[in-house]
């Protein structure tokens, strides 16, 4: 089976002790027992500051008993085959249509069948809890806990898997924008938000609620903030927190009073600014489209150029030369 991170180094071993040590370094201490077949472990990993993506295949049927994860959540998606996980008196049989999500305090017993490679997403606990609180617009009264089983066939889960595929592509690329802190933060935001909205958890019902609508005054404050900080790596949670409302209330308020979303408005502001910059710049002084676009918060330059042409009827370089 082709690995999901073909440009990343692959660690291989037939030694159970070596396999245990490598996986413990990536996740946590655990007991590993080969139940059937000969161990032929392969693993790959790639990381951003607050989450990491891992490919793990033991090549044999194995039993795994990890210590509590403590500081992170772990989403495990079988790419083939099946696995069993037991925790909190519940047993889940997982396959490509059903993932498992381990909570930091869980005591888990797992058994992976032979031919059951997994894609695993490790997410920092504090960062995900902070993300949940910002989406809700309030502090978490109870611990953030997920259902052990995560259906991967719902529309929300398919969207989440789409963002995981994007993360996988960016982390595997040899020269990726994910290496830039601005882009890394946006990728993390997409993946963590989609996980919170798609995987059943303690706060799912609250996250699904509309959360009211931000007042015109809050929307005006948000507009002022966006216009003053458009060049910074803003995400919608930053804006909502700054004006004291939930993300959903801010989005609803923008739709009602601005006919747009906060991020669409931010994008419009950035385009207006970079358009003015390109008109005012002198290319003979060595100013480039790339410099100006990055300075205004655009990180995906090919998409920027395409959207700019659609908006202004010419390429950014044409505007710069005019």
């Amino acid at each position: 089976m082709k690995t999901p991170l073909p440009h990343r180094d692959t660690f291989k071993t037939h030694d159970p002790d070596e396999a245990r040590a490598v996986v413990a370094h990536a996740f946590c201490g655990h007991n590993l027992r080969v139940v059937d077949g000969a161990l032929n472990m392969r693993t790959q990993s790639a990381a951003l500051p607050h989450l990491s993506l891992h490919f793990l295949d033991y090549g044999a049927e194995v039993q795994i008993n990890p210590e509590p994860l403590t500081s992170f959540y772990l989403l495990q998606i079988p790419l083939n085959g099946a696995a069993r996980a037991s925790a909190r008196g519940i047993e889940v049989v997982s396959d490509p249509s059903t993932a498992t999500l381990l909570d930091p305090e869980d005591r888990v017993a797992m058994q992976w069948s032979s031919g059951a490679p997994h894609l695993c997403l490790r997410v920092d606990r504090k960062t995900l809890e902070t993300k949940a609180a910002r989406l809700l617009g309030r502090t978490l009264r109870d611990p953030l806990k997920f259902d052990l089983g995560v259906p991967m066939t719902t529309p929300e889960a398919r969207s989440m898997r789409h963002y995981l595929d994007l993360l996988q592509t960016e982390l595997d690329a040899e020269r990726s924008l994910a290496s830039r802190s601005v882009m890394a933060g946006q990728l993390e935001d997409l993946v963590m938000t989609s996980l919170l909205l798609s995987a059943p958890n303690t706060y799912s019902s609250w996250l699904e609620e509309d959360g009211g609508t931000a007042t015109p005054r809050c929307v005006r404050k948000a507009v002022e903030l966006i216009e003053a900080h458009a060049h910074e790596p803003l995400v919608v949670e930053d804006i909502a927190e700054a004006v004291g409302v939930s993300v959903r209330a801010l989005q609803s308020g923008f739709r009602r009073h601005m006919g747009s979303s906060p991020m669409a408005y931010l994008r419009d502001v950035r385009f207006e600014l970079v358009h003015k910059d390109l008109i005012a710049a002198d290319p003979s002084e060595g100013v480039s489209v790339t410099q100006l676009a990055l300075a205004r918060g655009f990180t995906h330059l090919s998409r920027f150029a395409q959207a700019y042409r659609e908006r202004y009827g010419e390429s950014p370089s044409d505007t710069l030369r005019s």
Side-chain angles (χ1 to χ4, degrees):
M1 179 181 183
K2 183 181 177 181
T3 62
L5 299 167
H7 296 103
R8 293 281 178 167
D9 292 338
T10 303
F11 177 84
K12 301 178 181 180
T13 186
H14 299 287
D15 183 344
D17 290 333
E18 193 172 30
R20 184 184 303 108
V22 169
V23 175
H25 179 73
F27 300 115
C28 65
H30 61 284
N31 292 322
L32 175 67
R33 183 173 70 89
V34 178
V35 176
D36 187 42
L39 189 77
N40 183 22
M41 191 265 262
R42 300 179 297 158
T43 187
Q44 298 173 313
S45 63
L48 293 177
H50 302 107
L51 58 78
S52 56
L53 199 62
H54 306 260
F55 169 74
L56 180 57
D57 182 12
Y58 286 102
E61 185 175 353
V62 296
Q63 187 175 38
I64 311 162
N65 294 94
E67 298 171 2
L69 309 180
T70 307
S71 62
F72 62 94
Y73 295 86
L74 185 63
L75 177 69
Q76 303 179 126
I77 307 172
L79 300 177
N80 200 6
R84 292 179 181 271
S86 299
R88 307 170 227 157
I90 301 168
E91 181 177 86
V92 171
V93 177
S94 62
D95 56 27
S97 67
T98 305
T100 54
L101 210 169
L102 309 187
D103 282 344
E105 306 303 329
D106 278 345
R107 291 235 171 233
V108 188
M110 298 186 292
Q111 189 151 330
W112 292 13
S113 67
S114 176
H118 279 58
L119 185 68
C120 302
L121 175 71
R122 171 182 170 150
V123 184
D124 179 73
R125 178 181 187 172
K126 290 183 178 179
T127 305
L128 190 62
E129 290 172 341
T130 299
K131 176 67 63 179
R134 294 174 75 183
L135 283 172
L136 291 165
R138 59 178 173 83
T139 57
L140 303 185
R141 299 192 188 101
D142 301 304
L144 173 64
K145 296 186 71 67
F146 289 87
D147 287 0
L148 182 61
V150 179
M152 295 299 293
T153 54
T154 65
E156 295 83 0
R158 286 196 291 269
S159 292
M160 185 261 289
R161 185 55 202 265
H162 167 75
Y163 293 128
L164 281 183
D165 290 341
L166 174 62
L167 175 67
Q168 175 184 316
T169 299
E170 290 297 319
L171 288 178
D172 188 54
E174 294 180 2
R175 295 183 62 186
S176 169
L177 287 174
S179 62
R180 299 187 180 185
S181 59
V182 172
M183 191 65 177
Q186 292 179 349
L187 278 173
E188 289 186 336
D189 180 69
L190 282 172
V191 171
M192 286 189 276
T193 300
S194 67
L195 182 64
L196 287 164
L197 295 179
S198 63
N201 63 75
T202 317
Y203 293 95
S204 289
S205 60
W206 285 275
L207 290 167
E208 290 170 2
E209 291 179 357
D210 187 16
T213 300
T215 64
R217 179 175 176 273
C218 285
V219 173
R220 284 197 300 273
K221 287 174 63 179
V223 166
E224 291 169 1
L225 184 146
I226 288 171
E227 292 177 349
H229 300 275
H231 60 289
E232 298 177 12
L234 290 176
V235 294
V236 68
E237 290 85 358
D238 293 330
I239 303 167
E241 184 176 37
V243 300
V245 298
S246 71
V247 169
R248 287 176 180 266
L250 181 66
Q251 291 171 329
S252 177
F254 256 75
R255 285 195 300 271
R256 176 173 297 181
H257 302 295
M258 302 293 293
S260 179
S261 70
M263 300 314 288
Y265 185 78
L266 170 62
R267 188 165 56 250
D268 289 342
V269 171
R270 286 174 171 170
F271 270 114
E272 290 178 13
L273 291 171
V274 79
H275 181 62
K276 291 177 181 177
D277 292 343
L278 288 165
I279 292 173
D282 184 351
S284 66
E285 296 179 354
V287 178
S288 69
V289 171
T290 297
Q291 289 172 332
L292 296 176
L294 290 174
R296 291 304 185 183
F298 292 99
T299 55
H300 199 299
L301 297 179
S302 62
R303 290 179 186 171
F304 159 73
Q306 180 181 353
Y308 185 96
R309 182 184 292 274
E310 292 172 356
R311 184 176 292 246
Y312 297 107
E314 63 180 6
S315 70
S317 57
D318 288 340
T319 303
L320 180 62
R321 288 193 296 266
S322 62

